[in-house]
Amino acid sequence: TEIGWPSAGKLGIPPARAADYASQTLLTLRSLGYVHGAWWYNLYDKGTDPADQELNFGLLTEDGRRKPAFAAFASVAQLVQQTRSVERLPAPGSVWALRFSLGAQQDDVLALWSSEAAPGRWQAAVSGASARVRSQRHTAMSAMPASPALRLDASPLLLTIPAAQSRSMQLQVVPTPPG
């Protein structure tokens, strides 16, 4: 199947949103056992006219500069490729929680995001496991305290969890308190 979002034109979306959609789509497609391939439309923008959406589907600009969707795509592509199995975990509403198992002797990765347009409506906490967390928008990994509240939005969070702890961890997703 062919995927892509224009970052300009009448139906274009902001480049950061195209990046979120790219990573969400790759993660979701990997969780569907019947999908065996997807093709990004296009690698390069076909032109520079911001009014023509058909010219602006690329992961790269016409002159080869990386767009945010390129980084998002690269951020999750290796995970998707290395995954041996994926499991959708129970989560409320518009929240997606996918556990990617990479195989023996490797850490698992938990992907979390909300598909709602309003950011920060949901928050998640993981207990019973140590984790490193990163956003597809940022490549830096950082240690995560025992059970912080992680605000969810359209940008998937990737939590790396030791496989031995992954099956016994507890995921709690709740509405973000007003304030």
Side-chain angles (χ1 to χ4, degrees), residues 94-111:
S94 64
V95 174
W96 282 77
L98 300 173
R99 181 189 351 240
F100 292 83
S101 298
L102 305 179
Q105 311 300 317
Q106 295 194 45
D107 294 337
D108 286 352
V109 176
L110 179 62

Side-chain angles (χ1 to χ4, degrees), residues 12-174:
I13 61 175
R17 182 167 299 149
D20 292 338
Y21 290 171
S23 54
Q24 288 178 13
T25 300
L26 288 178
L27 294 166
T28 301
L29 289 174
R30 181 59 180 93
S31 74
L32 304 172
Y34 54 85
V35 176
H36 298 286
W39 289 259
W40 188 272
Y41 178 81
N42 278 327
L43 179 57
Y44 288 91
D45 283 347
K46 293 179 179 179
T48 58
D49 181 356
D52 188 343
Q53 74 183 30
E54 199 58 38
L55 301 179
N56 293 283
F57 276 86
L59 293 172
L60 304 166
T61 62
E62 185 183 46
D63 63 0
R65 287 177 288 125
R66 294 177 178 183
K67 293 164 70 174
F70 181 93
F73 195 94
S75 176
V76 298
Q78 186 174 10
L79 169 64
V80 166
Q81 183 180 22
Q82 293 176 347
T83 296
R84 297 204 180 210
S85 66
V86 71
E87 170 188 9
R88 184 161 185 194
L89 303 177
S94 64
V95 174
W96 282 77
L98 300 173
R99 181 189 351 240
F100 292 83
S101 298
L102 305 179
Q105 311 300 317
Q106 295 194 45
D107 294 337
D108 286 352
V109 176
L110 179 62
L112 297 169
W113 74 91
S114 172
S115 59
E116 285 185 21
R121 177 163 150 35
W122 296 98
Q123 65 183 18
V126 174
S127 58
S130 60
R132 294 182 317 275
V133 63
R134 69 181 167 104
S135 164
Q136 62 85 12
R137 290 185 189 152
H138 308 286
T139 57
M141 296 287 279
S142 60
M144 186 173 82
S147 185
L150 299 168
R151 289 197 121 169
L152 302 179
D153 62 20
S155 181
L157 296 176
L158 303 175
L159 287 69
T160 302
I161 301 170
Q165 297 174 5
S166 178
R167 299 295 169 192
S168 61
M169 67 154 204
Q170 298 292 315
L171 173 64
Q172 181 181 17
V173 179
V174 296

